[in-house]
Amino acid sequence: MYKVYHRIERIAGSVITVKAEGVAYQELAQVTSGQGISLARVNRIDGDMVDLQVFAGSRGISTESQVRFFGKPMDTPFGDSLLGRVFTGAGVPRDNGPLIEENSVPIGGPSVNPSKRIVPTRMVRTGIPMIDVFNTLVVSQKLPIFSVAGEPYNQLLARIALQAEVDVIVLGGMGLKFDDYLYLKDFLEKNGALSRSVMFVHTASDPIVECMLVPDVALAVAEQFATKGKNVLVLLTDMTNFADALKEIAITMEQIPSNRGYPGDLYSQLASRYEKAVDFEGSGSITILAVTTMPGDDVTHPVPDNTGYITEGQFYLRKGRIEPFGSLSRLKQQVNGKTRSDHRTIANTMIQLYASFRETLEKQSMGFRMSGWDQKVLKYGERFEKEMMDLSVNIPLERALDLCWIILADCFNPEETGIPSKLINEYWPKKG
Amino acid sequence: MATNGKIIGVNGNLIRVAFTDAVVQNEVAYAKLASGVKLKSEVIRIRGDYAELQVFEDTTGLKTGDDVEFTGELLSVELGPGLLTQIFDGLQNPLPRLATECGFFLQRGKYLHALPRRKKWTFTPVAKVGDKLTAGETLGTVPEGIFKHRIMVPFKIQGSVTVESILAEGDYVIDDVIATLKDSEGKIIEAKMSQFWPIKIPIKQYAERLRPDEPMVTQQRIIDTFFPVARGGTYCIPGPFGAGKTVLQQLTSRYADVDIVIFAACGERAGEVVETLREFPDLLDPRTGKSLMERTLIICNTSSMPVAAREASVYTGVTLAEYYRQMGLNVLLLADSTSRWAQALREMSGRLEEIPGEEAFPAYLESVIASFYERGGVVRLKDGTKGSVTIGGTVSPAGGNFEEPVTQATLKVVGAFHGLSRERSDQRRFPAIHPLDSWSKYEGIIDVAKVSAARHILVEGGEVNQMMKVVGEEGTSMEDFVVYLKSEYLDAVYLQQDAYNDIDSACSAERQKYLFGKVFQILKTPMTFKEKDVARSFFLKLTQITKDWNRIEFQSQEFKNLEVQIFKSVAEAEIHV
């Protein structure tokens, strides 16, 4: 019943063109060539000419290779049996386990009705003061980690995954180095988290089209878990590789590039993935943490730039620390007003003072005399970096807040902090 | 008779359709999937015997040979009582009712009526049989929440018509014919409570357009005092991500001194709309004592919803705004973000393989943006009353660089520019509107000469600060240093507001005038200090109590006490002379 075609008209990059009739947009097909069997997806129809993206790439495909259309769009199996397993972007097991074919669910499904969304109210505790105190992570938030190559972003992701209280972890790896893939897998396994995880991994040496599929498959699975009442944490690393895959395909398809070669719909493409983060009323939730590496540490590069406009804040990971400037959790005010009455004020004050510290450092490096105030600020900055910013610090929120007050009291007089007098009376540590 | 066509190509949300009879540019058509589901589309280019259509939905599953039905109608919205408090998508589908029918997820090809069909409205006729009227004049009114909703002679009518019959006072549904009108050629037209109007054509059924000269108070000090917006004016808020565009718009939608706020969330995060959706019903409008939702209408086409409908959403918003302006109301349209709409244009332009302009935006970007903002304005209606549409659009420039095409095209047509700065937002200075780069061509609530003197202090303070970075504090004279501290003081206690404090988040015009007077007096007080550290700690303390003062209810006893305290310490500084 499937239609089979034997004549391929055009091959370029990972896109092939077949003359075929009655083929639907986004339909799935199978391409059989001397190199083996690969799936492919329709992504342009022009009369009877059909363009397909071949998941495994076009290397080795001959003009006489066989193309078989399935008559349905791409889907992914779903069930609890996915837990503890590792797959490729195309859904093929990577862990020598059995192929799963139960309960197919479509990928890249429709958007959630905005009127069914609820205002997020639950904090995700991570034990990292730079997150918990200053940029609180919230259930259903979508947050990228902006970083440059070489930073320990995968380690940070793994640690958050482990310490966050969630039911299911879905990990989507795109263009991962094989070592990083093994690190993430081993880390989850060693800490007993693999049994509540599903991994979809595309490594740097795998075909590029599979890279594009990873977020869709990972999020489709996460969505299914969430609608069944589970709180899901989706980790995506690294979204810049995903965007580069989009770029590669777009250029192959001869689309007009908009900015540094990226397609004009980069924003929409990224948004439709990130917007899957949701808290379903009366059911589960999806929280997304994604790594976005910034080529050349340039935040105005199209990928981090577009991402920043989509996500609800961002963490900057620089020199092994989460930078307080630029890092932002847009949803923090939904939760940090309810944790403790001093939370908001202390977070703002600490950052403002740290900003003065940076300014003073600049002045110092230019050889200016340090005033009494400058000395205080310098002392403060050093303690802040050591006791708060260091990623090895692992303390619960309340203890971190107390520590903030101690640092302030050690370095300043109350009125120098600009904290409202009411809070000073309540929290300022008494001397003695 | 509607034309039919067949699909001959699919590329993303662009389809190519072969047709035989006549096709109208920008008319609506429906592409039929094999399952029978019909996807709404709009004709955007016609070439010989085929037309190119943008589909407002995901096109998965469409194939060559699928049927397309053309409707002959331009993309339109329904105008009538019952629009307020609703939440629509870009094509005016009511989202809450879609949710009751389809659940958590949006279902493609599902279209619902914008207005409730069965709800009865109490109609009071205004026009009488025999009256000669023109399009946009009032036939009668119905109460819609806190407003008197005018039922008008349909906007499409040309020339004058005579009222042949009109219903007596009573309860009717929107599909009832409430009046019959006879045009100059003797043709009978039936008028209902609702009518349709194409979104890309401005509603111009008024007597004349006026110059915007009344300020629209937003209760944000930096805006009302330094960069005011006039009713019927236009302004834009460009800023890099995380600079607080949306928080600023949310506060504006809450406190702005207008009758109706239409919020068009265009290609932005769904979560932000949700905050408005869930909070507004419980917030009281201080002017009316009713829920804020009663004066609000939300158009919500968030970033993951189909791209083509994103373009429609800003036009839907402005058309609804113009409709309420026809009733003599002041309407504020907030569009967040116009860059996403421009990107939607860019995506379509790319698929059409048009020759790209700067950053691949289409060459017609500027004229499209200009004609959108030009739909704002104050008008005198045919009955002499005034109405206005104020448009505030955010811009999300790539890389936070204001040189990019969308920001530049917008700056050419707006009357005020509130540029947000990354630097200020990093320093947690809210609102992060840059006090030196921004501008406004409108008149505000405070004497222009004083405002420019205050601005001058900011400029001078900024210069001293720059200089200090080079020569250090020890190389700066006490005089300059005090100027710097005064500018920082003005910034901290006046330009910045605490968005999370119930009192400080909104500062009434009266309070602004009062506070500005006092702060200005302090700025003008000559001061000198023995040492810079003394000066700094004096200003730190002064800033602290003035901020506390901002957080206290206006003219309460505590407020007066603190004022005395502030001026006592200022007097002490003066003694240092």
Side-chain angles (χ1 to χ4, degrees):
Chain A
M1 62 165 279
Y2 294 135
K3 279 168 261 170
V4 180
Y5 295 88
H6 285 281
R7 168 94 195 136
I8 293 174
E9 306 283 335
R10 202 162 51 205
I11 304 173
S14 41
V15 178
I16 61 169
T17 308
V18 186
K19 211 172 200 168
E21 266 167 27
V23 175
Y25 186 64
Q26 297 282 312
E27 185 172 335
L28 199 66
Q30 189 180 43
V31 182
T32 313
S33 69
Q35 295 299 307
I37 295 174
S38 166
L39 291 175
R41 183 164 63 172
V42 175
N43 78 342
R44 182 155 67 192
I45 302 172
D46 188 4
D48 55 0
M49 301 297 264
V50 177
D51 288 354
L52 295 123
Q53 292 169 353
V54 184
F55 295 176
S58 64
R59 206 162 293 144
I61 291 184
S62 84
T63 49
E64 310 211 313
S65 292
Q66 186 195 64
V67 179
R68 193 160 68 110
F69 290 95
F70 289 139
K72 57 163 194 164
M74 170 128 188
D75 50 21
T76 176
F78 171 74
D80 283 344
S81 53
L82 290 180
L83 293 172
R85 299 290 310 274
V86 186
F87 303 91
T88 67
V92 180
R94 282 195 97 98
D95 54 0
N96 305 321
L99 189 69
I100 300 177
E101 284 184 314
E102 58 188 307
N103 284 333
S104 285
V105 292
I107 70 162
S111 167
V112 171
N113 188 324
S115 69
K116 287 295 269 186
R117 285 176 182 261
I118 50 177
V119 178
T121 49
R122 291 179 287 159
M123 168 184 174
V124 180
R125 283 171 179 268
T126 64
I128 301 170
M130 290 315 288
I131 297 179
D132 290 357
V133 177
F134 299 101
N135 287 302
T136 322
L137 184 63
V138 179
V139 170
S140 86
Q141 190 161 18
K142 40 190 180 289
L143 210 68
I145 298 170
F146 286 170
S147 179
V148 287
E151 291 286 342
Y153 46 80
N154 285 328
Q155 283 78 347
L156 179 63
L157 266 194
R159 194 174 141 202
I160 295 172
L162 203 67
Q163 291 185 196
E165 292 155 355
V166 291
D167 303 319
V168 177
I169 300 164
V170 179
L171 189 136
M174 287 148 281
L176 275 186
K177 275 191 303 210
F178 207 83
D179 302 355
D180 286 341
Y181 153 57
L182 289 180
Y183 165 80
L184 286 167
K185 189 173 159 230
D186 292 347
F187 185 85
L188 291 176
E189 197 160 21
K190 201 170 68 200
N191 293 289
L194 195 62
S195 59
R196 55 186 167 103
S197 310
V198 190
M199 295 173 78
F200 294 93
V201 173
H202 164 266
T203 64
S205 58
D206 295 335
I208 199 79
V209 184
E210 286 186 10
C211 179
M212 279 173 55
L213 296 173
V214 167
D216 285 336
V217 178
L219 288 162
V221 167
E223 211 163 53
Q224 290 298 320
F225 278 118
T227 50
K228 296 192 169 45
K230 298 272 194 272
N231 289 310
V232 188
L233 177 64
V234 179
L235 306 172
L236 299 171
T237 172
D238 153 0
M239 286 301 273
T240 306
N241 290 334
F242 166 75
D244 287 339
L246 284 178
K247 174 168 80 174
E248 192 176 323
I249 300 288
I251 300 277
T252 314
M253 305 272 301
E254 293 172 5
Q255 282 181 22
I256 296 167
S258 69
N259 214 337
R260 297 209 211 174
Y262 289 94
D265 64 353
L266 180 64
Y267 175 84
S268 306
Q269 292 284 2
L270 289 171
S272 65
R273 272 87 191 179
Y274 280 115
E275 281 283 325
K276 294 274 180 199
V278 65
D279 195 350
F280 289 112
E281 196 165 9
S283 194
S285 66
I286 300 178
T287 310
I288 301 179
L289 264 182
V291 169
T292 299
T293 50
M294 300 181 287
D297 201 11
D298 175 14
V299 74
T300 65
H301 181 276
V303 180
D305 186 51
N306 278 296
T307 305
Y309 281 116
I310 295 163
T311 52
E312 289 148 339
Q314 63 278 330
F315 293 148
Y316 280 93
L317 186 65
R318 207 168 269 155
K319 295 184 191 133
R321 295 193 294 226
I322 296 178
E323 264 283 323
F325 303 121
S327 289
L328 170 75
S329 161
R330 287 167 189 269
L331 300 185
K332 65 182 172 192
Q333 65 268 21
Q334 307 289 359
V335 295
N336 67 7
K338 288 165 236 152
T339 46
R340 219 168 84 173
S341 60
D342 59 333
H343 188 163
R344 279 183 184 169
T345 311
I346 201 97
N348 277 337
T349 309
M350 296 290 280
I351 298 295
Q352 272 169 0
L353 288 169
Y354 186 70
S356 317
F357 164 70
R358 285 278 177 93
E359 270 174 33
T360 308
L361 270 191
E362 227 169 84
K363 277 201 307 199
Q364 193 184 33
S365 68
M366 291 164 85
F368 292 129
R369 192 169 57 86
M370 295 283 98
S371 64
W373 168 254
D374 289 332
Q375 299 293 355
K376 284 182 172 186
V377 168
L378 284 177
K379 181 178 163 198
Y380 164 80
E382 276 156 28
R383 288 199 59 179
F384 183 79
E385 288 191 345
K386 207 170 107 221
E387 292 168 51
M388 286 283 149
M389 281 173 69
D390 201 294
L391 269 189
S392 65
V393 180
N394 193 355
I395 48 175
L397 169 73
E398 289 71 16
R399 273 190 49 210
L401 289 175
D402 291 341
L403 184 59
C404 288
W405 284 106
I406 294 171
I407 297 176
L408 284 179
D410 284 351
C411 302
F412 301 105
N413 296 325
E415 71 273 8
E416 288 170 333
T417 58
I419 296 176
S421 317
K422 239 170 75 188
L423 283 174
I424 294 273
N425 293 337
E426 196 181 340
Y427 288 101
W428 193 265
K430 306 280 177 288
K431 282 272 149 62
Chain B
M1 188 55 218
T3 313
N4 283 311
K6 295 235 180 270
I7 294 182
I8 53 170
V10 186
N11 177 13
N13 63 343
L14 181 80
I15 56 173
R16 230 155 9 103
V17 179
F19 62 93
T20 43
D21 299 325
V23 162
V24 185
Q25 170 75 325
N26 293 111
E27 77 169 291
V28 172
Y30 290 91
K32 252 164 92 178
L33 280 163
S35 61
V37 172
K38 293 179 183 177
L39 306 178
K40 200 170 190 172
S41 329
E42 182 187 9
V43 176
I44 51 173
R45 189 162 74 182
I46 302 169
R47 287 204 159 170
D49 54 358
Y50 69 86
E52 278 157 323
L53 282 70
Q54 59 174 343
V55 185
F56 295 116
E57 308 270 2
D58 177 23
T59 50
T60 300
L62 284 176
K63 37 180 186 270
T64 299
D66 280 351
D67 286 328
V68 176
E69 293 171 15
F70 293 88
T71 62
E73 301 283 337
L74 301 186
L75 188 61
S76 301
V77 286
E78 187 172 22
L79 305 171
L83 288 168
L84 291 179
T85 76
Q86 290 225 59
I87 301 140
F88 295 119
D89 73 1
L91 301 174
Q92 217 195 8
N93 285 301
L95 287 169
R97 261 187 289 146
L98 268 182
T100 1
E101 292 199 14
C102 311
F104 279 127
F105 296 97
L106 294 168
Q107 198 176 311
R108 65 176 172 160
K110 185 95 190 164
Y111 307 109
L112 297 175
H113 283 297
L115 298 173
R117 302 330 276 185
R118 275 186 298 237
K119 182 170 165 131
K120 296 235 172 191
W121 299 93
T122 308
F123 175 75
T124 312
V126 172
K128 294 181 298 294
V129 172
D131 281 358
K132 266 193 169 313
L133 300 173
T134 54
E137 285 190 90
T138 311
L139 291 169
T141 62
V142 299
E144 181 186 11
I146 46 181
F147 301 102
K148 216 181 221 180
H149 188 114
R150 292 188 194 171
I151 307 297
M152 293 169 270
V153 176
F155 300 150
K156 277 176 199 159
I157 287 178
Q158 294 182 345
S160 67
V161 289
T162 315
V163 179
E164 287 280 297
S165 75
I166 187 159
L167 290 180
E169 184 164 341
D171 293 350
Y172 308 101
V173 297
I174 54 167
D175 286 323
D176 286 335
V177 174
I178 53 145
T180 50
L181 311 165
K182 194 163 82 177
D183 69 8
S184 53
E185 287 162 14
K187 213 171 82 192
I188 297 291
I189 300 151
E190 292 183 337
K192 297 178 179 175
M193 278 199 249
S194 89
Q195 55 173 313
F196 286 86
W197 184 260
I199 57 172
K200 289 187 183 163
I201 297 173
I203 299 173
K204 285 189 168 167
Q205 275 62 18
Y206 47 75
E208 63 170 330
R209 222 179 123 168
L210 309 168
R211 197 174 67 84
D213 52 4
E214 266 176 65
M216 178 190 80
V217 177
T218 63
Q219 307 214 33
Q220 300 302 309
R221 289 186 289 259
I222 187 165
I223 297 179
D224 298 340
T225 303
F226 287 87
F227 310 109
V229 177
R231 278 184 180 160
T234 52
Y235 68 105
C236 71
I237 314 175
F241 62 82
K245 288 184 294 293
T246 305
V247 182
L248 194 57
Q249 282 226 337
Q250 279 174 347
L251 285 172
T252 311
S253 66
R254 192 174 293 181
Y255 299 117
D257 179 24
V258 289
D259 299 308
I260 288 174
V261 175
I262 297 180
F263 195 83
C266 167
E268 287 287 308
R269 307 174 186 90
E272 286 164 357
V273 191
V274 176
E275 278 174 38
T276 310
L277 291 185
R278 303 271 164 166
E279 281 171 12
F280 270 34
D282 301 328
L283 291 172
L284 290 187
D285 182 354
R287 300 179 330 132
T288 58
K290 295 275 177 58
S291 154
L292 261 182
M293 206 60 201
E294 293 213 1
R295 69 160 199 178
T296 311
L297 198 168
I298 296 170
I299 317 277
C300 172
N301 211 94
T302 57
S303 56
S304 60
M305 288 159 80
V307 175
R310 201 188 284 168
E311 194 219 340
S313 68
V314 292
Y315 289 108
T316 300
V318 76
T319 309
L320 298 179
E322 286 173 335
Y323 177 60
Y324 279 99
R325 176 171 70 183
Q326 290 292 129
M327 297 173 205
L329 298 172
N330 294 307
V331 189
L332 170 64
L333 171 71
L334 295 169
D336 185 19
S337 143
T338 57
S339 293
R340 305 300 161 223
W341 157 49
Q343 285 180 341
L345 289 176
R346 176 167 75 182
E347 278 180 40
M348 249 18 256
S349 168
R351 295 228 162 84
L352 290 169
E353 295 176 358
E354 292 171 341
I355 294 171
E358 208 180 332
E359 288 187 23
F361 283 107
Y364 45 80
L365 179 74
E366 272 191 28
S367 59
V368 168
I369 289 179
S371 56
F372 167 71
Y373 279 102
E374 274 300 304
R375 289 178 73 168
V378 194
V379 300
R380 193 168 53 77
L381 298 170
K382 288 169 180 169
D383 68 351
T385 53
K386 279 206 287 184
S388 69
V389 170
T390 311
I391 302 181
T394 64
V395 185
S396 318
N401 173 12
F402 292 172
E403 305 296 307
E404 58 90 46
V406 183
T407 315
Q408 288 304 316
T410 308
L411 283 181
K412 277 189 194 168
V413 290
V414 294
F417 162 55
H418 300 160
L420 300 187
S421 112
R422 158 80 69 215
E423 199 190 348
R424 285 181 70 82
S425 80
D426 278 352
Q427 293 168 339
R428 303 289 192 271
R429 296 183 179 199
F430 180 85
I433 297 175
H434 199 288
L436 303 179
D437 296 347
S438 304
W439 48 260
S440 166
K441 294 175 187 162
Y442 303 115
E443 259 171 59
I445 54 170
I446 286 168
D447 179 40
V448 183
K450 281 190 181 164
V451 171
S452 80
R455 230 182 134 173
H456 187 66
I457 294 175
L458 289 172
V459 175
E460 275 187 308
E463 281 168 4
V464 174
N465 190 20
Q466 287 302 322
M467 199 177 67
M468 272 200 300
K469 282 187 183 147
V470 184
V471 299
E473 236 173 77
E474 59 266 41
T476 309
S477 71
M478 179 55 86
E479 202 185 332
D480 281 351
F481 192 65
V482 169
V483 169
Y484 162 71
L485 288 174
K486 278 181 175 172
S487 78
E488 284 292 297
Y489 173 71
L490 173 63
D491 191 338
V493 306
Y494 201 85
L495 302 187
Q496 297 172 41
Q497 266 171 272
D498 184 350
Y500 300 117
N501 181 280
D502 289 341
I503 292 173
D504 197 31
S505 59
C507 187
S508 67
E510 194 195 354
R511 185 169 185 160
Q512 283 188 46
K513 286 176 194 160
Y514 190 83
L515 178 66
F516 187 82
K518 297 296 169 190
V519 170
F520 194 70
Q521 192 185 332
I522 294 173
L523 294 176
K524 286 285 160 198
T525 308
M527 296 178 196
T528 191
F529 302 88
K530 276 204 256 4
E531 273 175 62
K532 296 205 173 93
D533 273 349
V534 178
R536 187 195 316 273
S537 67
F538 167 77
F539 272 99
L540 280 175
K541 218 169 132 195
L542 187 65
T543 306
Q544 168 94 329
I545 43 175
T546 317
K547 275 181 157 178
D548 281 345
W549 195 42
N550 280 337
R551 296 191 183 103
I552 295 167
E553 201 181 324
F554 187 46
Q555 297 299 19
S556 64
Q557 193 52 49
E558 212 188 335
F559 179 88
K560 288 173 185 155
N561 294 346
L562 214 52
E563 183 180 333
V564 173
Q565 203 189 324
I566 289 170
F567 279 90
K568 224 170 89 190
S569 61
V570 170
E572 278 165 24
E574 233 184 326
I575 297 169
H576 288 285
V577 176

